Amino acid sequence: MHINSKIDEADISKAIIEEYMKELYDYTECDVIVVGAGPSGSVAAKILAENGLKTAIFERNIKPGGGMYVGGMLMNKLVVESPAEKILKDVGVKTLKEYKKGLYVCDAVEAGIKLMAGAIDAGAKVFNAIETVDVIYRKTGICGIVANWHAVSALPKFITCVDPLCFKSKMVIDATGHAAEVARVASEKIGFKFIGMEGSMWVEEAEKATIRHTKEIYPGLIVCGMAANSTYGAPRMGPIFGAMFLSGQKAAHLTLQKLKKQKKR
Ligand code: 48H
């Protein structure tokens, strides 16, 4: 095997800078922005991209996946209930098995990676290490996000403020998990009802509530996954992920319906 030994250091930098900036520039305007690359956000992004929408995921962590890799108490098994296992089958999760009637378990790392790969293969673009810090707002509703390198939030306070950049979209999906960060900042600044903390554990009710509360809470902004529970103060469910997947699915379908209606007008 002959490895290419004629490599110019500057070319490596040029390839990274040129290709990254082209993409970031391109996604300053898109159809949908999903904030958070956890289970609900990855499922939503996959469906949106499959339906031809220009979809960006902004994830502040370096590694996408959210709470998916850690199972319960760091034991990396992922549990889902029927019919959510179909979403895992659809992305080819091979370790999936029925543990009890209607209750499935699989390798959490395999599930997380394959769901993310499913979204990327469908055409969604992931921008990792970027944090959403605010929304763009008009009288008609929310029309994008305000974002910054996540590393900026770790800078000491005496360093000069680093202004963020703006990314416009027809819809924003808050899939930021327990903290519901997009809904939180929007509700504080715009002023709409937001509880901001999930309730104590009650699995059956929590799973139903996640899906029930997946909705457009303000024009242009949909909450899904744990962010939906926190927004409405619904109970938590611990390490079971069926409702997270189905909530991501519902958020995508609500977005598709809304954008279809807007197109008809
Ligand atoms: C960019 C951000 C920002 C920001 C956060 O926590 P997640 O896995 O979210 P869900 O709702 O898809 O899944 C929740 C599930 O993992 C869970 O925690 C469950 C089921 N808990 C039950 C219980 O009882 O405890 O992923 C959210 C993602 C993460 O990757 C964050 O890093 C990211 O969003 N994120 N990205 N800008 N401001 N805030």
Side-chain angles (χ1 to χ4, degrees):
M1 192 190 32
H2 295 288
I3 189 160
N4 179 8
S5 56
K6 290 207 165 103
I7 303 164
D8 186 329
E9 286 81 357
D11 282 342
I12 302 170
S13 302
K14 281 178 189 164
I16 292 172
I17 297 167
E18 192 175 344
E19 293 308 305
Y20 188 86
M21 289 309 171
K22 247 195 291 194
E23 278 179 342
L24 197 62
Y25 180 95
D26 186 32
Y27 279 86
T28 49
E29 289 176 280
C30 48
D31 292 318
V32 189
I33 291 176
V34 179
V35 184
S40 63
S42 337
V43 170
K46 176 174 183 285
I47 298 169
L48 293 165
E50 277 168 350
N51 279 275
L53 294 185
K54 185 176 175 184
T55 306
I57 306 181
F58 283 86
E59 164 58 53
R60 75 168 161 214
N61 206 322
I62 288 173
K63 296 186 186 82
M68 258 188 302
Y69 306 132
V70 290
M73 265 179 65
L74 297 181
M75 293 179 232
N76 66 355
K77 292 291 172 197
L78 185 130
V79 174
V80 294
E81 71 277 49
S82 212
E85 84 283 1
K86 292 197 184 86
I87 291 173
L88 293 171
K89 281 186 186 157
D90 181 45
V91 292
V93 174
K94 293 202 174 88
T95 54
L96 188 71
K97 66 174 190 193
E98 195 165 22
Y99 181 73
K100 249 183 140 176
K101 196 167 169 30
L103 193 69
Y104 295 78
V105 63
C106 69
D107 183 282
V109 177
E110 187 196 7
I113 286 174
K114 287 193 172 164
L115 279 177
M116 198 70 260
I120 293 168
D121 286 349
K125 172 68 202 159
V126 183
F127 291 99
N128 57 336
I130 297 186
E131 181 174 45
T132 296
V133 294
D134 205 343
V135 293
I136 309 173
Y137 166 66
R138 298 282 184 277
K139 282 187 181 147
T140 46
I142 286 164
C143 52
I145 59 149
V146 178
N148 216 330
W149 304 119
H150 182 33
V152 166
S153 64
L155 289 176
K157 293 283 174 256
F158 60 81
I159 289 189
T160 311
C161 151
V162 180
D163 265 327
L165 287 176
C166 296
F167 298 86
K168 295 194 79 177
S169 62
K170 296 172 188 153
M171 289 295 283
V172 174
I173 296 180
D174 182 347
T176 61
H178 291 260
E181 294 199 11
V182 185
R184 186 179 300 273
V185 71
S187 74
E188 276 166 11
K189 294 188 178 183
I190 301 168
F192 54 84
K193 196 168 172 246
F194 174 80
I195 293 174
M197 189 195 282
E198 78 281 351
S200 290
M201 188 81 79
W202 180 5
V203 176
E204 273 182 24
E205 176 51 26
E207 289 293 88
K208 283 187 261 170
T210 307
I211 297 165
R212 194 168 65 243
H213 293 315
T214 299
K215 53 176 111 158
E216 191 174 16
I217 45 159
Y218 194 80
L221 176 63
I222 288 176
V223 280
C224 74
M226 245 2 244
N229 293 55
S230 293
T231 298
Y232 291 95
R236 68 187 302 184
M237 69 297 287
I240 182 161
F241 283 75
M244 296 300 122
F245 299 160
L246 298 173
S247 166
Q249 199 174 57
K250 182 176 173 189
H253 289 142
L254 291 174
T255 304
L256 289 166
Q257 270 168 21
K258 177 152 183 196
L259 296 186
K260 210 167 161 187
K261 265 193 212 153
Q262 276 178 358
K263 215 172 172 184
K264 273 191 191 154
R265 278 196 220 126

